Amino acid sequence: MLTFFHCPGTCSLGIHVLLEEAGAPYQLSLVNLMKGEQHAPAYLAQNPKAKVPALLREDGSLLTEWPAIATWLALTYDKALLPMDAEGLARTLESVDYLVASVHMQGFTRIWRPDHFAAAEAEHPAIKEKGRAIYEKGLAAFEEKIKGRDYLGGERPSIADAALFYVEYWKVNRLKEPLPDALAGHYARMMQRPAVVRALTMEGLL
């Protein structure tokens, strides 16, 4: 059985959704980031990167980084979560990389945790402003991309939809702001999926 290291409502939520979508056998292991448990010696012994998500596999090896975990889950448990044609695969990975590396890490992190970029509080407003610009630019790009389709991956979600979902979730539940129309439709469809409902329920978010 897999062991999934997560923290409710963080980017690990997207991986949790994929675990449920794929029907992978797993158990949850909570790492409370707010309490600094990612820096606890016991967790650092497992994951020196001190972050989530992380996946301990049945062979004892640890897999880290959102795109790597998502890709491995799809290839191992449900290949329908990852297009196999060259164009579909490239576009899916393109979306995942932009969502995780730019919209999340460079955009939302600046909004939510400006102290990660500068210790001086006087610098935080400018950092947040820059983060907001990156985040909103990313949402606008995916607003156009999702128009006229149910999911980025086609008729059913791909790993890119799980990444988009957690970014949307933050807009709605952390920033308390509405999504643009097409993204709001995507978010509503994701929220109706049994896998998403199960993941949110297990994390105490429903």
Side-chain angles (χ1 to χ4, degrees):
M1 179 176 289
L2 306 168
T3 298
F4 176 51
F5 297 100
H6 79 113
C7 183
T10 67
C11 64
S12 63
L13 173 61
I15 297 296
H16 198 173
V17 167
L18 291 174
L19 284 162
E20 287 294 324
E21 287 282 0
Y26 72 97
Q27 60 185 358
L28 291 174
S29 182
L30 174 65
V31 181
N32 191 321
L33 303 185
M34 280 59 75
K35 293 182 178 179
E37 291 179 358
Q38 70 273 31
H39 302 298
Y43 186 61
L44 288 175
Q46 290 276 9
N47 182 13
K49 293 180 179 178
K51 62 179 187 175
V52 296
L55 192 68
L56 183 63
R57 296 180 291 184
E58 293 175 342
D59 65 358
S61 64
L62 189 78
L63 188 61
T64 63
E65 305 304 332
W66 205 103
I69 297 171
T71 301
W72 183 83
L73 285 173
L75 292 175
T76 304
Y77 293 102
D78 187 352
K79 290 183 174 62
L81 290 167
L82 192 66
M84 289 294 106
D85 64 288
E87 180 67 12
L89 177 60
R91 292 302 183 184
T92 297
L93 296 177
E94 177 185 49
S95 291
V96 168
D97 186 67
Y98 184 44
L99 285 161
V100 176
S102 296
V103 183
H104 166 190
M105 296 301 296
Q106 295 300 322
F108 191 83
T109 304
R110 279 184 164 87
I111 300 170
W112 200 251
R113 293 301 303 270
D115 56 300
H116 284 190
F117 296 87
E121 289 190 17
E123 298 180 38
H124 290 180
I127 291 169
K128 289 182 178 182
E129 183 178 356
K130 181 176 181 179
R132 173 67 75 165
I134 296 169
Y135 183 66
E136 295 298 341
K137 180 181 178 180
L139 290 180
F142 282 96
E143 171 73 2
E144 291 302 312
K145 190 182 290 287
I146 201 68
K147 282 181 179 177
R149 60 176 78 179
D150 287 343
Y151 301 106
L152 293 170
E155 295 182 357
R156 62 162 293 181
S158 70
I159 64 171
D161 291 281
L164 180 57
F165 172 71
Y166 85 74
V167 168
E168 294 169 333
Y169 181 88
W170 289 346
K171 175 80 165 172
V172 173
N173 294 279
R174 288 197 186 182
L175 299 180
K176 307 296 183 184
E177 297 172 356
L179 290 161
D181 291 345
L183 287 180
H186 176 265
Y187 181 71
R189 285 187 288 277
M190 291 294 289
M191 287 292 291
Q192 292 169 0
R193 295 190 67 81
V196 174
V197 173
R198 290 194 298 271
L200 289 170
T201 301
M202 280 185 271
E203 295 196 13
L205 301 173
L206 274 184

